[in-house]
Amino acid sequence: MLAAISPEVRPQQPITPDWVKNAVFYQIFPDRFARSGRVTGLNLQAWGDQPHFHKYMGGDLWGVIEKLDHIVSLGVNAIYFCPVFQSASNHRYHTHDYYQVDPMLGGNEALTALIKAAHERGLKVVLDGVFNHASRGFFQFNDLLEQGDASAYRDWFHVEGWPLSAYDDARPAGYHAWWGNRALPKFNTGNPAVRDFLWDIAEYWIKQGIDGWRLDVPNEIDDDSFWQEFRRRVKAINPDAYIVGEIWGDAHRWLAGDQFDAVMNYHFTRPCLAFFGAHTLDHPMNERSGTGFVPPMSAPEFGQRMTEVTQMYHPDVVAAQLNLLDSHDTARYLTAVGGDATAYRLATIFQMTYVGAPCIYYGDEIGLPGGPDPDCRRAFPWDREQEWDNTTLNLTRQLVRARHATTALRQGTFDVTYAEGDQIAYARAHAEGNAHVALNCAHHAARILLTGVQAGSYTDVLTGLTLELSGDTEIEVPARSGVVLVPARAEGIV
């Protein structure tokens, strides 16, 4: 394994893309988002059937293009896609060919058309990069299975002993695989040929016009120099490309400015479950899901923790963190909190008024439920619009619009000014004007103290009402709701 760059020559200050600091992301699981009907001759589940580990719904990238109006209507300006490359799995983390978009998704032609259509609408496109492992169908691994020790690609993987057993669980696999899953042979990234292959993939798709990479389990390529060169090559082509890693724990190692721009911010996710869903958390559900057991939090505990999260990394990194309430790897937030839609709405208010880049998991905006994988990967119910939670949908649109219109909500500091019981208030301070947010998680109305309010007119994003405020003042906040006060001069917020 190659040595990492020594700490003394690492960047002194991370440089992250400015556009991410002003972005709202939308995460799409391609097989379940939208089916165009242009890809035919497939054995598919009926759209909307119960998700299955091995069955396909048939969503494709042409379908995404057809639904861009919905995505744009939310106000989002970036899309993060789960893997799109050729694979024998509905989630496509089992990559067969990194240079070919899965034919079921419409192939390379569909991705090219999607990138063009998205960019014309001001949407960035970030793809999922699965570089730690490939699949049994990956050509180089298939050669290994066919040729054994004589394979030209023997050293692309970690062979432990012969013969290899890629399918018979009763026998030792004979090679390293991701978490022992023999369907996912782990690359030998110490091999220069493998490194060049993976770096070339990263460069190739950036040249095709994508705006960044979300990196799957990048900590399992335990080699700083690999990711340092990955970043150098990607940024040489597009300095504004976004590199975000799936790191669930402490990520200082990767966020010094020479590897990733940010990570998926699960340090944001768990406290949002713990506070807004404190009274309805489905603990067995969460323990079966990626989040694990989540102990409830009070407002003071939540305020302290979210302040700590803003201080974990360099401010430019914090501003580029991908803040998610759930994902394809966890139960959906709505289900994790026992179906309490008010908890999801409160969490969404917080997400859209906190530091970092919010990320909406497809379907959450209309109240789509879902338990642990594969249930969290349900088909988007385009044909059942009467079942959509339009209260949540309209709230999402209001909040995203306000975030784009208010500099303080995107770039301001985060300062908790009140935290008692089930109520919290915080300020987002910025030279262009401050914003103040008060959230009431109780089942009764409450008066919440706002402190240090600059004198002036403020509009409540959620009601459209304009208030004249200054200094310290109490405001009435309805049960299980909030108040988001922004300078009234901000345009387009309601």
Side-chain angles (χ1 to χ4, degrees), residues 285-302:
M285 175 73 68
N286 284 304
E287 290 184 65
R288 295 197 308 273
S289 181
T291 48
F293 178 74
V294 179
M297 278 184 169
S298 65
E301 292 169 329
F302 179 73

Side-chain angles (χ1 to χ4, degrees), residues 147-170:
Q147 305 300 335
D149 193 44
S151 171
Y153 302 101
R154 181 190 60 192
D155 296 329
W156 278 50
F157 306 94
H158 300 272
V159 176
E160 299 172 316
W162 306 98
L164 303 185
S165 178
Y167 292 93
D168 185 356
D169 290 345

Side-chain angles (χ1 to χ4, degrees), residues 98-111:
Y98 288 89
Y99 292 98
Q100 298 297 321
V101 174
D102 198 302
M104 289 179 60
L105 297 179
N108 289 11
E109 178 189 3
L111 180 59

Side-chain angles (χ1 to χ4, degrees), residues 27 29 82 93 214 246 248 264-266 269-270 273 285-292 294 324-337 359 361-362 364 368-378:
Q27 181 189 352
F29 188 87
C82 288
Y93 284 92
R214 177 267 188 187
E246 182 203 12
W248 290 60
M264 299 180 76
N265 197 2
Y266 285 101
T269 309
R270 287 173 56 84
L273 285 166
M285 175 73 68
N286 284 304
E287 290 184 65
R288 295 197 308 273
S289 181
T291 48
V294 179
L324 61 158
L325 293 174
D326 51 17
S327 74
H328 64 290
D329 284 326
T330 71
R332 287 186 180 267
Y333 189 98
L334 181 64
T335 300
V337 295
C359 184
Y361 184 40
Y362 81 99
D364 280 353
L368 187 64
D373 175 25
D375 195 42
C376 56
R377 305 171 181 183
R378 297 188 189 187

Side-chain angles (χ1 to χ4, degrees), residues 413-494:
T413 60
F414 176 79
D415 302 293
V416 176
T417 58
Y418 179 89
E420 295 288 342
D422 290 324
Q423 289 86 36
I424 190 167
Y426 51 95
R428 299 294 310 278
H430 191 273
E432 294 183 14
N434 300 344
H436 294 267
V437 182
L439 301 174
N440 177 20
C441 294
H443 289 274
H444 55 80
R447 297 192 65 80
I448 299 178
L449 178 67
L450 301 180
T451 60
V453 181
Q454 294 177 328
S457 299
Y458 293 83
T459 299
D460 179 11
V461 170
L462 306 185
T463 64
L465 297 176
T466 298
L467 306 173
E468 296 295 325
L469 300 174
S470 65
D472 297 348
T473 184
E474 283 190 343
I475 56 171
E476 184 85 7
V477 182
R480 304 294 290 169
S481 188
V483 171
V484 180
L485 299 170
V486 299
R489 64 179 180 274
E491 298 180 0
I493 58 173
V494 294

Side-chain angles (χ1 to χ4, degrees), residues 43 88 148 179 255 405 418:
N43 175 32
W179 283 45
L255 297 177
Y418 179 89

